[in-house]
Amino acid sequence: SAVISQKPSRDICQRGTSLTIQCQVDSQVTMMFWYRQQPGQSLTLIATANQGSEATYESGFVIDKFPISRPNLTFSTLTVSNMSPEDSSIYLCSVEGVSSGRYNEQFFGPGTRLTVL
Amino acid sequence: DAKTTQPNSMESNEEEPVHLPCNHSTISGTDYIHWYRQLPSQGPEYVIHGLTSNVNNRMASLAIAEDRKSSTLILHRATLRDAAVYYCIRGSQGNLIFGKGTKLSVKP
């Protein structure tokens, strides 16, 4: 299993500012993912972050808006830049667990609840 | 595009079995069928997965149709703690694409 913590757990920000969300895992993992969950909605994948390479962004998400760092195998950050009220969401990181079998389940952090005024 | 279809909501009584259906008619031969659930104010958690055969674990059972175009998640005895949104996802590992899921309510 993997235990994931995120900081901050919640924040209220002013429009036009940026917020960096941290994701820490208690074990070394290759693949980390960032998701967004808008109010009352399902999760949407923002990007996949592998250590040592550029993050891969899903359609509709760009690096200028959501820069990601992945400096090592246990840590990643997601920055939400130049925020607007439409960015108000829960942001979750997840990792693919490592097992000896063929299937690796994903583990999710508790999320960061962001409100932009 | 989540490429799975689930009912928006279902209700169950406590201690009764619950069958949560999922349609994935465009599934490819190598796609897994994953089920995750999201309890209120928490991140999603893994429930079960399968490829071709029915699967059982301590949380649930997964019944997969012979043509793999549909599956059913079975909670054998629902508890109040099972109230959550249940997501059926088809695809490879990683890059999970979530649909809207089924919101399960459990009545005491």
Side-chain angles (χ1 to χ4, degrees):
Chain A
S1 68
V3 178
I4 303 170
S5 59
Q6 289 185 229
K7 289 181 181 179
S9 59
R10 58 177 62 228
D11 207 343
I12 301 173
C13 301
Q14 297 297 320
R15 70 171 66 209
T17 63
S18 298
L19 176 72
T20 295
I21 302 168
Q22 299 178 9
C23 177
Q24 180 76 51
V25 190
D26 69 343
S27 56
Q28 293 185 337
V29 294
T30 302
M31 299 183 76
M32 297 182 77
F33 308 92
W34 285 98
Y35 287 84
R36 180 176 73 182
Q37 187 168 28
Q38 294 176 302
Q41 303 297 312
S42 181
L43 285 79
T44 302
L45 180 64
I46 296 172
T48 301
N50 289 339
Q51 195 268 335
S53 63
E54 293 285 329
T56 302
Y57 289 82
E58 297 297 306
S59 175
F61 298 96
V62 295
I63 188 171
D64 289 346
K65 176 68 176 177
F66 297 102
I68 290 171
S69 78
R70 183 78 204 274
N72 57 52
L73 291 173
T74 63
F75 188 78
S76 178
T77 67
L78 170 77
T79 299
V80 186
S81 303
N82 188 25
M83 288 183 284
S84 67
E86 292 70 36
D87 294 320
S88 297
S89 293
I90 298 173
Y91 292 85
L92 302 103
C93 73
S94 76
V95 303
E96 190 171 286
V98 178
S99 71
S100 59
R102 292 179 57 195
Y103 183 87
N104 298 316
E105 65 188 83
Q106 271 188 246
F107 299 90
F108 287 80
T112 295
R113 184 179 294 271
L114 170 63
T115 302
V116 184
L117 302 178
Chain B
D1 182 4
K3 300 177 181 175
T4 61
T5 305
Q6 298 177 252
N8 289 333
S9 62
M10 291 184 65
E11 272 192 358
S12 171
N13 294 316
E14 196 176 11
E15 298 190 4
E16 289 186 356
V18 183
H19 292 230
L20 297 164
C22 181
N23 184 292
H24 30 78
S25 58
T26 60
I27 194 168
S28 75
T30 57
D31 283 347
Y32 284 101
I33 301 156
H34 321 256
W35 284 83
Y36 282 73
R37 72 179 185 181
Q38 188 173 23
L39 303 172
S41 301
Q42 296 187 27
E45 64 177 0
Y46 168 82
V47 178
I48 200 167
H49 79 280
L51 193 57
T52 55
S53 305
N54 294 343
V55 184
N56 300 294
N57 67 18
R58 63 175 179 81
M59 289 182 71
S61 296
L62 177 60
I64 301 173
E66 198 168 327
D67 63 6
R68 299 208 329 125
K69 294 184 177 182
S70 64
S71 62
T72 302
L73 178 71
I74 303 165
L75 306 179
H76 295 285
R77 287 183 68 213
T79 69
L80 297 178
R81 290 170 52 192
D82 290 322
V85 178
Y86 287 78
Y87 297 100
C88 167
I89 303 165
R90 66 106 163 147
S92 58
Q93 298 181 66
N95 293 19
L96 296 179
I97 307 300
F98 285 76
K100 297 185 187 305
T102 296
K103 184 174 183 179
L104 176 65
S105 302
V106 180
K107 296 185 291 185

